[in-house]
Amino acid sequence: MDPILEVVSLLLGFIGLVMVGIAIPNRYWKVSTDDGNVITTSTIYENLWMSCATDSTGVHNCREFPSLLALNGYIQASRALMISAVIFGFIGLVATLVGVQCSKAAGEDMVLKGRITGVGGVLFFLQGLCTMISVSWYAFNITQDFFDPFYPGIKYEIGEGLYIGWFSAVLALTGGSCLTCACKLGTSEKQPYPYQPRGRVYSGVAPSQSQAATSYGQNAYV
């Protein structure tokens, strides 16, 4: 496997993991819309953990969701997926650091290191998949309520936290796919074959110089 591709994929997965860590605590997963409102006195924004509001004077008030079971199902699922993405990404980062060719942690066995790198690539891919499902599911519910003319509650728009999550998912999926597809899983080291000369091999004692001259003299007069 190309060492440059390993390093690039590792960087993509690492940046994706960092972006997941930024997206999870970001408060602006959804922001209340001003569409259809003549006078707006406050703005409400939420994420997976709390709901906040800011008034026209710039004062922010936030409160955490009081009950986990009282939340909508998609919020609970998004929480679980984002936490799973962090776990997958961290383990994938450690595995890739051990398995890259420039690392000495796994010794000099390139087959073993390739398999460890492949496992890291799969974990990076799972990280991106969990993140993509979480933010896309959350965004789907936002747009569904926004375009529903009979929805009685507050309508929201997509916030910056979801865009950070999408960017993180793309990076992790790209890095994981490159590592998984490029590493050589299950390959074995090539063993050198013994050299076998072509033709027949005769074994025996070479005739002495006197014997060879005698036989030549006898054959010369026949």
Side-chain angles (χ1 to χ4, degrees):
M1 181 177 178
D2 189 1
I4 298 178
L5 182 59
E6 283 184 343
V7 174
V8 172
S9 302
L10 175 61
L11 289 177
L12 290 176
F14 174 72
I15 296 174
L17 180 60
V18 172
M19 298 300 289
V20 169
I22 296 174
I24 290 178
N26 189 282
R27 296 180 179 180
Y28 297 92
W29 278 51
K30 62 180 181 180
V31 183
S32 59
T33 180
D34 298 334
D35 184 45
N37 297 328
V38 179
I39 300 176
T40 303
T41 59
S42 63
T43 302
I44 302 174
Y45 49 94
E46 296 182 359
N47 63 359
L48 298 176
W49 316 99
M50 64 182 65
S51 176
C52 300
T54 178
D55 56 18
S56 57
T57 61
V59 178
H60 296 261
N61 294 314
C62 296
R63 66 176 183 86
E64 297 182 354
F65 296 128
S67 175
L68 174 64
L69 299 179
L71 295 174
N72 293 326
Y74 75 92
I75 298 180
Q76 300 181 32
S78 296
R79 282 184 175 184
L81 288 170
M82 293 301 287
I83 294 174
S84 300
V86 173
I87 295 174
F88 286 140
F90 180 76
I91 300 176
L93 178 63
V94 174
T96 307
L97 286 173
V98 172
V100 290
Q101 297 183 22
C102 57
S103 174
K104 301 297 183 181
E108 300 296 334
D109 189 351
M110 292 301 173
V111 176
L112 177 61
K113 296 178 75 170
R115 293 175 180 176
I116 295 175
T117 306
V119 172
V122 172
L123 292 173
F124 276 143
F125 186 85
L126 291 176
Q127 170 202 336
L129 187 63
C130 289
T131 306
M132 181 65 73
I133 294 175
S134 176
V135 296
S136 298
W137 194 356
Y138 197 94
F140 170 76
N141 284 272
I142 294 175
T143 56
Q144 187 179 36
D145 295 337
F146 184 86
F147 292 109
D148 185 2
F150 301 104
Y151 181 70
I154 301 174
K155 293 186 177 182
Y156 293 88
E157 294 184 358
I158 296 174
E160 63 183 27
L162 295 182
Y163 292 106
I164 297 174
W166 276 318
F167 183 66
S168 167
V170 171
L171 292 179
L173 289 172
T174 304
S177 300
C178 291
L179 283 177
T180 305
C181 297
C183 72
K184 299 178 180 179
L185 296 176
T187 57
S188 59
E189 296 181 353
K190 295 182 179 181
Q191 299 294 336
Y193 292 97
Y195 173 73
Q196 296 181 354
R198 296 182 178 179
R200 297 182 180 179
V201 178
Y202 297 93
S203 60
V205 181
S208 61
Q209 185 176 4
S210 59
Q211 291 177 351
T214 304
S215 60
Y216 173 76
Q218 292 176 354
N219 295 329
Y221 296 97
V222 175

